[in-house]
Amino acid sequence: MIHSQNLAKLLILRSLQQSMLKSTLIFSIARNPRFYGRNAISVEKNQNFGESSTSNREHVGRVSRSALKEAEGALLDYLHSTRSLQFLDAEWISKNSPNFLQKLLFKVGDKSNGDIARLLARFFRYHPINEFEPFFESMGLEPSVFIPLLPRDLMFLSDDPNLLENYHILCNYGIQRDRIGKICKEAREAFNYDYGVLQAKLQAYEKLGLSQCTVAKIVVCSPYLLIDHVNKEFVEVLQELKCLGFDYDWLVGHLQEDNSYNWRQIQELMFMLDDLGCNQEQLGRLIGQHPELLFEGSGSGTFSLIGFLLKFGSTQNDIYSVFLHFPQLQLGKFFWNLRYGLHFLTEIEMDVEDIGKLICSHATLLGSCSLKKPITLLQRLNVGKKRLCDVIKERPEELKNWVIGAKVKKLPSDGEEDLSRVEKIKFLKNVGFTENSKEMAKALKVFRGKGLEIQERFDSLVKAGLDQKDVLRMVKKTPQLLNQSKEVILEKIDFLVNGLGYPITSVVPFPGFICYTTQRVKLRHSMYKWLNEQGVAEPGLALSTIIASAEKIFLRRYVNRHPKGPEVWEDLKKKVSSV
């Protein structure tokens, strides 16, 4: 067994190794430009080929089917009769290289009078083609993929006998021709082997007890197995799976030929699961129910899940528990739910420490639930964010009742909410609101915080120098101003008086001033002051006109009055935002 810190180190090391591998591959490709035919071409020309091929595919609807058929026949005749390729090879290439055929047709013209075969025969006579292009395309490769694979200074397939020989070995072994391109792309060295070497490598895997059909599929899924000796990690994974009760047919049934598998990574994941504490029976049951843990991205998703859990402080036992009780969900869906659960908890403003504790203790629960959107749930439950956080911390299992598609009932009122409402009503009555009036209902609806906190905020305005009657009028007009904390209210009053030079009574007709950010007020006031200095703004504009108008209206009515107005506006925005 290993410590969770060792797991984290292993994940970091894997990430670095993969990054180095990608960098090496990119550097290698950059150092080896490819050629068409016998003449070197630039990278730009390579790119143009890809672009023209794309346009060729888009143009296919304008090339008649009969023209394509005639082009296939002409290419078949050229490859078999003129270039002496085996008939099956020539037929396959001619029927499975549509991009190349379209390229030929564009060169000779799409004639509908039956002259295509004659024109192409003449074209082939005076313009020998690069046979590697249709050959690679017929193996299932796109032009953008096979361009780097084109050999230097060669045009004819017969000039590379090892390529054809090893191609035929793979065909005769039972690998579909359109799958051989994947092998060529990922294990190009296998096509350079001398006679008998590739056949011997295939037979070496058969000696492990694998059938020819099984070897064929595994080679397509992991072409690099054909490089060097029998792959040690692959053999060890086979042995481990066999010990867990899985036969080779089970393995082949869960491999996808379109994917590529890293058996070293799969082996390391199996070791890690074993080190977490899973015994043979538990590991066998887990892999049997969720083979995607191993084979989806060669275990990359599982490593990401483990890294996610470690990030939030999960211990080795926590992670072991997650896999021991893994739900009947695909790994991708489970991980998506878990990450969305993190987003959900962040949106309802749960403390970071509490989020970490919840993920460590209830990761399986979070991964099993596709939760509703936070705003929807808050409305349906008729609670605030703080109450929702408290409920989740006290009863995490409630999350199961808040999934998408489930009917959600309002949470029963708790004593604290009732007490807070009583305090708010008492406060409003004390400052002059009539009980059960529309004004009181409006205030109660928008107030946030406890009654005592709202009283403190009201008193802070009076202590700042405003008359109590004026403050009452302000609250009736804009009750949400008391949602600001006492400190924020005093800070904004200070900015109004000492920063902008307005009298404190300026907020009485415009109580909404306290609801706007200091940044917005500073920007608008600075812009108005500049416009006033330029003589293009009316002096003595009301504070509400300067601050409350929408930005588009403010720009149109005031900023755009001066030719340099928009430029000054942008400069002021940068200065204000940088403070």
Side-chain angles (χ1 to χ4, degrees):
M1 301 195 44
I2 59 176
H3 192 271
S4 57
Q5 291 181 349
N6 293 336
L7 297 180
K9 290 178 181 178
L10 180 57
L11 290 169
I12 293 170
L13 179 60
R14 177 176 312 289
S15 177
L16 290 172
Q17 289 173 337
Q18 290 175 345
S19 299
M20 291 174 64
L21 177 59
K22 289 179 182 177
S23 302
T24 303
L25 289 173
I26 292 170
F27 180 73
S28 175
I29 292 173
R31 292 185 59 189
N32 290 280
R34 298 298 178 179
F35 297 82
Y36 272 116
R38 301 183 184 277
N39 299 319
I41 61 170
S42 65
V43 173
E44 181 180 353
K45 194 168 183 180
N46 277 341
Q47 293 171 341
N48 289 339
F49 177 89
E51 292 169 3
S52 65
S53 297
T54 302
S55 63
N56 287 352
R57 289 194 297 272
E58 293 172 352
H59 190 69
V60 68
R62 292 178 297 195
V63 176
S64 65
R65 187 172 299 178
S66 60
L68 283 173
K69 276 291 182 185
E70 285 194 65
E72 283 180 17
L75 182 59
L76 168 61
D77 185 64
Y78 170 77
L79 294 174
H80 178 57
S81 301
T82 305
R83 298 296 311 138
S84 302
L85 287 185
Q86 294 182 18
F87 180 80
L88 288 179
D89 293 342
E91 182 183 40
W92 177 264
I93 293 172
S94 64
K95 288 186 175 181
N96 293 278
S97 53
N99 288 307
F100 186 77
L101 290 177
Q102 290 172 44
K103 187 178 174 183
L104 289 176
L105 287 172
F106 295 146
K107 287 184 177 180
V108 301
D110 180 4
K111 306 293 183 180
S112 56
N113 56 5
D115 288 341
I116 288 176
R118 181 179 59 81
L119 289 171
L120 283 176
R122 179 183 176 86
F123 179 84
F124 292 144
R125 190 177 306 126
Y126 297 105
H127 303 87
I129 62 172
N130 187 332
E131 297 170 10
F132 292 94
E133 292 184 41
F135 177 66
F136 284 133
E137 185 180 352
S138 71
M139 290 196 293
L141 297 177
E142 290 290 326
S144 59
V145 176
F146 70 66
I147 286 174
L149 300 177
L150 294 174
R152 295 172 179 269
D153 300 326
L154 296 180
M155 289 184 66
F156 305 119
L157 290 171
S158 57
D159 293 336
D160 192 346
N162 286 343
L163 174 66
L164 277 180
E165 174 64 26
N166 290 310
Y167 172 76
H168 289 143
I169 288 174
L170 294 175
C171 290
N172 296 333
Y173 198 76
I175 297 174
Q176 295 179 22
R177 291 174 183 256
D178 58 356
R179 294 290 183 182
I180 295 178
K182 184 170 182 280
I183 301 175
C184 188
K185 173 188 172 185
E186 298 181 24
R188 183 67 175 87
E189 302 96 314
F191 291 83
N192 296 329
Y193 290 147
D194 292 331
Y195 179 80
V197 175
L198 181 58
Q199 186 72 46
K201 290 183 178 292
L202 293 169
Q203 290 172 350
Y205 284 103
E206 289 185 41
K207 291 177 181 179
L208 298 174
L210 301 172
S211 67
Q212 181 173 319
C213 181
T214 299
V215 173
K217 184 168 183 178
I218 289 174
V219 164
V220 172
C221 293
S222 304
Y224 74 92
L225 295 181
L226 295 175
I227 301 172
D228 297 328
H229 304 291
V230 172
N231 187 268
K232 176 185 174 183
E233 290 82 11
F234 172 71
V235 173
E236 291 178 354
V237 169
L238 284 183
Q239 293 171 347
E240 181 65 21
L241 288 174
K242 191 172 182 180
C243 291
L244 295 175
F246 300 107
D247 58 24
Y248 300 144
D249 290 338
W250 178 90
L251 171 64
V252 172
H254 288 92
L255 298 181
Q256 303 293 325
E257 291 186 349
D258 291 332
N259 298 332
S260 295
Y261 297 89
N262 183 332
W263 295 99
R264 173 177 292 179
Q265 186 167 296
I266 292 173
Q267 181 193 32
E268 289 178 356
L269 177 57
M270 294 183 74
F271 287 160
M272 182 176 287
L273 293 173
D274 181 62
D275 289 335
L276 284 172
C278 295
N279 58 37
Q280 291 269 318
E281 182 183 352
Q282 292 167 342
L283 188 56
R285 184 168 61 251
L286 176 65
I287 293 174
Q289 293 175 352
H290 301 281
E292 73 277 4
L293 292 175
L294 285 185
F295 301 124
E296 194 173 288
S298 300
S300 295
T302 309
F303 278 115
S304 297
L305 173 60
I306 295 172
F308 180 89
L309 295 173
L310 287 171
K311 180 180 179 181
F312 286 93
S314 295
T315 64
Q316 181 174 324
N317 288 335
D318 292 333
I319 299 172
Y320 166 71
S321 179
V322 169
F323 288 109
L324 188 63
H325 303 100
F326 205 85
Q328 293 300 318
L329 286 175
Q330 288 291 309
L331 172 65
K333 179 63 175 174
F334 178 87
F335 199 11
W336 190 94
N337 285 344
L338 188 57
R339 287 179 294 183
Y340 183 77
L342 170 63
H343 167 76
F344 178 94
L345 297 174
T346 305
E347 284 292 301
I348 63 173
E349 299 175 8
M350 183 178 284
D351 292 339
V352 174
E353 186 177 345
D354 291 327
I355 291 176
K357 290 178 180 177
L358 194 65
I359 289 177
C360 290
S361 60
H362 290 83
T364 304
L365 175 63
L366 285 168
S368 303
C369 299
S370 298
L371 296 171
K372 295 179 183 291
K373 290 183 179 179
I375 188 171
T376 302
L377 195 57
L378 289 167
Q379 292 171 350
R380 299 278 177 84
L381 295 174
N382 193 31
V383 295
K385 292 181 178 179
K386 184 178 182 302
R387 172 86 191 280
L388 183 56
C389 288
D390 291 339
V391 171
I392 293 173
K393 286 186 287 185
E394 293 171 9
R395 303 191 303 277
E397 63 277 1
E398 284 288 335
L399 291 168
K400 293 187 290 187
N401 300 322
W402 302 335
V403 297
I404 295 172
K407 290 185 178 181
V408 177
K409 296 180 181 179
K410 293 182 179 179
L411 287 177
S413 178
D414 61 357
E416 187 176 345
E417 286 188 353
D418 292 338
L419 179 60
S420 178
R421 181 177 175 82
V422 170
E423 289 174 347
K424 290 175 185 177
I425 293 174
K426 181 180 177 181
F427 159 73
L428 291 172
K429 288 170 67 177
N430 289 340
V431 297
F433 278 78
T434 304
E435 191 169 3
N436 297 325
S437 65
K438 290 183 179 179
E439 291 174 332
M440 179 176 281
K442 177 184 176 183
L444 288 171
K445 190 173 182 180
V446 299
F447 277 164
R448 292 200 305 266
K450 298 178 181 179
L452 293 176
E453 293 173 338
I454 295 170
Q455 180 71 60
E456 287 180 356
R457 297 164 189 170
F458 182 91
D459 293 341
S460 68
L461 288 168
V462 176
K463 290 177 182 178
L466 291 168
D467 186 88
Q468 184 168 337
K469 292 181 180 178
D470 289 335
V471 177
L472 176 59
R473 284 197 295 272
M474 291 167 60
V475 172
K476 286 184 176 181
K477 184 176 181 180
T478 312
Q480 60 267 30
L481 72 89
L482 294 182
N483 287 337
Q484 308 282 320
S485 69
K486 180 177 69 174
E487 292 75 20
V488 171
I489 290 173
L490 292 175
E491 180 186 325
K492 291 183 177 179
I493 291 293
D494 179 70
F495 178 68
L496 174 71
V497 176
N498 299 317
L500 302 181
Y502 282 83
I504 190 172
T505 52
S506 302
V507 296
V508 176
F510 179 42
F513 170 85
I514 296 175
C515 299
Y516 290 102
T517 63
T518 303
Q519 200 175 46
R520 176 187 176 111
V521 174
K522 189 180 293 185
L523 174 62
R524 292 289 184 92
H525 186 267
S526 299
M527 189 68 217
Y528 170 69
K529 183 179 179 181
W530 184 85
L531 291 169
N532 207 9
E533 291 171 352
Q534 306 304 312
V536 294
E538 300 90 340
L541 273 181
L543 191 61
S544 59
T545 303
I546 300 171
I547 307 302
S549 57
E551 184 167 320
K552 287 184 179 179
I553 296 174
F554 186 78
L555 290 173
R556 186 176 69 250
R557 288 184 180 176
Y558 304 107
V559 177
N560 294 338
R561 286 185 179 183
H562 194 282
K564 292 187 177 180
E567 181 182 345
V568 174
W569 172 259
E570 292 301 323
D571 289 342
L572 288 173
K573 280 175 73 174
K574 291 177 183 177
K575 289 180 182 178
V576 170
S577 62
S578 64
V579 176

